[in-house]
Amino acid sequence: MSRIVLGVAGGVAAYKAALLLRALTEAGHDVRVVPTPGALHFVGAATFEALSGHPVTTDVWSDVPEVAHVRIGQTADLVVVAPATADLLARAAAGRADDLLTATLLTAHCPVVFVPAMHTEMWLHPATQDNVATLRRRGSVVLPPAVGRLTGPDSGPGRLPEPHDVAALAQVALTAGPDALRADLAGRRVVVSAGGTREPLDPVRYLGNRSSGKQGWALARVAAARGADVTLVAANVDLPAPFGVRVVPVGTAEELRAAVLAEAPDADVVVMTAAVADFRPATVAAAKLKKKDDPAEVPEVRLVRNPDVLAELVTKRAAGQLVVGFAAETGDADGDVLAHARAKLARKGCDLLVVNDVSGGGVFGRPDNAAVVLAADGSATQVPHGSKDAVAAAVWQTVLPRLA
Ligand SMILES: Cc1cc2nc3c(=O)[nH]c(=O)nc-3n(C[C@H](O)[C@H](O)[C@H](O)COP(=O)(O)O)c2cc1C
């Protein structure tokens, strides 16, 4: 359980803060809401008090013996300000302490995540952009706003991301630290493949694998939060699209190949997290394969090779494009996990290979992971055991200095 301060400023999206509060408390966190006086024009203090189980005040003159304006910030593990209005960003950038929320921001030692929401004109105004740059330079995370319908009939950048997306990114900041959400992939185009392909045997059966898509989802989520334009080619993943990410659903290895090759040409980075089947049934029965009366009579399934999408990406890649592969390896009589992975890196010719040791079967579907990132230049970076978001952040950290 972490102690989270949820700052709420006076924008119409303040109503979404109640749902965000709910998502954070349901994830097991202790959340203290600190609204601005403006926020209480939109949502009543009683809502935040009832949902958080804590009293709500907006100024520094309540509970004076508690010295709330210092203590709330000092004891927090994370501060999330959602929505962050143009006014709140300006006051935070100026270092003001004219209400409890801005005072809290000045005393917080922990990661601070601002989630802006305002009309497009306010967001794009040089004054707001300067304030965002100032806050980022000082180490705060300022997420890019979502693009979509605003308060009225108009739409554009400035919308608050959905509460479950903000909650997921708050979790990234808690487990991977604020560096995971730096805006250092702005202007970059990223393609991530995720999930596991399914190769049909007949209309109801398929050959599949145990990839859940969670690691690919984390890579896409973190890249989008860092400002990249992200397309996620998803093979059979039953998860909601991460905030700001375009999802292209596919089923088989052939479909995945077509989608990835169509998306790759103008990408700066292609990350192949998906578990693509090496083999598929040579023929797909038009009708369901039936049991015969004789129990000894069972169908023989002949397999044929699927295309090697990673190797093809490497051959066709544009100048300066980085191709990152993933390898789920087990050790055997021919070598340990790293030996197999080094051989795979050399064989495929990709720039980086993220290696998961799946010997114990402890990776698929779990929220956590550990990895080694091997580079074509021979270096190996250990990624310690942590959340899949933390592993994703570490992978982007290795990719960044290699981008042209
Ligand atoms: C109906 C209404 C909706 C508003 N929505 C926003 C908004 O989405 N974003 C924003 O930056 N300001 C918005 N404002 C303006 C802010 O409320 C105003 O700048 C206020 O000073 C913000 O104070 P605070 O950030 O301290 O809460 C809105 C005002 C009104 C009356």
Side-chain angles (χ1 to χ4, degrees):
M1 181 187 71
S2 298
R3 267 167 307 195
I4 298 179
V5 172
L6 174 58
V8 184
V12 77
Y15 76 94
K16 291 187 183 174
L19 297 169
L20 172 59
L21 167 58
R22 192 62 185 238
L24 293 172
T25 54
E26 279 178 2
H29 302 301
D30 178 30
V31 187
R32 171 108 194 216
V33 182
V34 183
T36 64
L40 296 186
H41 285 289
F42 295 91
V43 180
T47 300
F48 294 133
E49 289 185 335
L51 291 175
S52 70
H54 289 292
V56 162
T57 44
T58 60
D59 60 64
V60 297
W61 307 114
S62 313
D63 283 330
V64 172
E66 205 198 1
V67 205
H69 73 286
V70 177
R71 200 188 44 78
I72 293 175
Q74 276 178 342
T75 54
D77 299 309
L78 176 73
V79 179
V80 180
V81 184
T85 54
D87 180 66
L88 188 280
L89 293 172
R91 289 191 293 124
R96 296 191 61 114
D98 48 358
D99 60 15
L100 186 57
L101 177 54
T102 46
T104 298
L105 289 169
L106 288 182
T107 54
H109 307 292
C110 60
V112 176
V113 179
F114 293 94
V115 194
M118 62 199 73
H119 262 86
T120 303
E121 289 88 341
M122 293 174 93
W123 170 247
L124 294 178
H125 195 283
T128 304
Q129 290 299 310
D130 280 354
N131 292 330
V132 168
T134 300
L135 292 167
R136 284 182 174 156
R137 182 170 46 75
R138 291 192 196 132
S140 296
V141 173
V142 185
L143 292 177
V147 180
R149 173 100 191 258
L150 302 171
T151 315
D154 44 351
S155 61
R159 198 180 144 83
L160 193 83
E162 294 313 309
H164 63 264
D165 288 315
V166 180
L169 293 169
Q171 198 63 42
V172 175
L174 275 172
T175 62
D179 280 347
L181 301 176
R182 292 264 167 270
D184 46 15
L185 285 172
R188 300 291 188 175
R189 206 172 116 59
V190 166
V191 176
V192 179
S193 73
T197 62
R198 290 179 184 172
E199 311 300 323
L201 267 168
D202 68 15
V204 293
R205 303 185 181 92
Y206 56 81
L207 289 183
N209 61 67
R210 299 176 59 202
S211 176
S212 68
K214 285 183 180 164
Q215 186 59 72
W217 244 243
L219 280 148
R221 175 170 40 246
V222 171
R226 287 169 96 135
D229 171 5
V230 185
T231 302
L232 185 52
V233 176
N236 310 300
V237 184
D238 189 20
L239 293 170
F243 160 56
V245 172
R246 188 167 68 92
V247 176
V248 179
V250 294
T252 64
E254 280 290 358
E255 288 167 13
L256 183 137
R257 171 184 171 273
V260 169
L261 291 180
E263 296 291 338
D266 61 346
D268 296 288
V269 192
V270 183
V271 187
M272 284 292 292
T273 322
V276 185
D278 292 328
F279 311 102
R280 68 174 183 276
T283 53
V284 182
K288 185 182 171 191
L289 299 170
K290 297 279 192 309
K291 281 187 288 196
K292 302 282 192 264
D293 290 340
D294 176 2
E297 208 182 320
V298 291
E300 297 258 314
V301 178
R302 200 172 69 79
L303 300 176
V304 291
R305 279 284 282 268
N306 265 333
D308 186 334
V309 186
L310 184 57
E312 193 172 349
L313 271 171
V314 169
T315 350
K316 293 184 173 164
R317 76 173 138 193
Q321 184 180 78
L322 276 180
V323 178
V324 183
F326 264 69
E329 294 286 354
T330 54
D332 60 22
D334 293 331
D336 65 7
V337 167
L338 276 189
H340 283 299
R342 279 190 210 288
K344 179 168 178 177
L345 177 66
R347 201 168 59 242
K348 304 273 184 177
C350 49
D351 302 283
L352 295 170
L353 190 71
V354 184
V355 189
N356 294 137
D357 183 345
V358 293
S359 306
V363 173
F364 299 110
R366 290 182 55 129
D368 51 354
N369 202 355
V372 181
V373 186
L374 297 181
D377 60 19
S379 67
T381 312
Q382 289 284 345
V383 181
H385 192 264
S387 69
K388 286 186 174 171
D389 287 319
V391 171
V395 171
W396 289 119
Q397 220 57 46
T398 323
V399 165
L400 263 163
R402 291 175 162 84
L403 279 174

